[in-house]
């Protein structure tokens, strides 16, 4: 179900807690909401639809992927960039890494470790920040 986007900085500034199999509906809502906003948004975290659980969804231009409890375990190639966010006005400068290795659980809650670069890596970093209560 498509949900409203949370824009309250106090709510978004709080850390999300671990997601479990009980949060599958939230993941589905997140994908529906991302798809609904696909013209203006490439990734979302669950707290942006009002659920403080560590779930992200992102669109790499080909397909939408979901990660439960994602965590960056390795990063390299720091650079400065500018980003915008569906929950905020305008764009803001931020620091990102060109290459990241992420440990997460898939929709069967199996642990996966994968490396991402470039644009996809940037989206994932932005959304994991949301899980940690960090806004750009
Ligand atoms: Zn954002």
């Amino acid at each position: 179900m498509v949900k409203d986007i949370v824009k309250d900085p106090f709510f978004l500034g709080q850390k999300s807690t671990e997601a479990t199999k009980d949060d599958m509906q939230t993941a589905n809502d997140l994908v529906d909401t991302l798809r609904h906003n696909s013209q203006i948004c490439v990734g979302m975290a669950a707290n942006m639809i009002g659920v403080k659980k560590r779930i992200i969804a992102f669109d790499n231009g080909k397909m939408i992927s979901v990660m439960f409890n994602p965590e960056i375990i390795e990063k390299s190639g720091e650079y400065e960039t500018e980003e915008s966010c569906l929950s905020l006005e305008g764009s803001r400068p931020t620091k990102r890494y060109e290459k990241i290795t992420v440990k997460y659980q898939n929709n069967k809650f199996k642990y996966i470790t994968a490396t991402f670069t470039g644009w996809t890596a940037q989206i994932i970093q932005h959304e994991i920040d949301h899980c940690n209560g960090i806004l750009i």
Side-chain angles (χ1 to χ4, degrees):
M1 193 193 288
V2 176
K3 299 284 185 177
D4 289 337
I5 305 298
V6 174
K7 297 187 173 175
D8 174 10
F10 178 76
F11 183 88
L12 294 170
Q14 297 169 44
K15 272 195 174 189
S16 294
T17 57
E18 191 171 329
T20 67
K21 283 178 181 163
D22 296 336
D23 298 309
M24 209 52 89
Q25 186 56 50
T26 296
N28 292 336
D29 291 344
L30 197 58
V31 169
D32 290 344
T33 308
L34 176 59
R35 196 167 277 135
H36 181 75
N37 288 287
S38 65
Q39 295 301 314
I40 48 168
C41 180
V42 289
M44 291 187 65
N47 61 350
M48 293 173 71
I49 57 167
V51 182
K52 283 186 285 180
K53 294 287 181 158
R54 302 182 66 88
I55 309 167
I56 67 171
F58 59 94
D59 184 350
N60 68 3
K62 293 192 196 105
M63 56 178 278
I64 292 178
S65 305
V66 175
M67 291 178 174
F68 293 86
N69 305 308
E71 202 186 328
I72 295 171
I73 56 171
E74 244 180 84
K75 54 192 180 183
S76 64
E78 187 181 314
Y79 65 99
E80 303 275 341
T81 186
E82 226 174 70
E83 290 177 357
S84 56
C85 176
L86 202 55
S87 289
L88 303 169
E89 297 285 329
S91 62
R92 304 173 184 199
T94 186
K95 226 174 245 176
R96 295 295 178 210
Y97 294 86
E98 173 60 29
K99 185 176 170 187
I100 57 169
T101 301
V102 184
K103 187 178 171 195
Y104 64 97
Q105 285 164 282
N106 67 9
N107 60 3
K108 294 183 174 65
F109 279 80
K110 186 174 170 253
Y111 277 102
I112 312 262
T113 300
T115 298
F116 300 89
T117 58
W119 178 231
T120 307
Q122 186 179 353
I123 305 168
I124 293 170
Q125 288 169 80
H126 180 110
E127 305 315 329
I128 291 179
D129 275 356
H130 272 299
C131 295
N132 293 323
I134 297 166
L135 294 166
I136 48 166

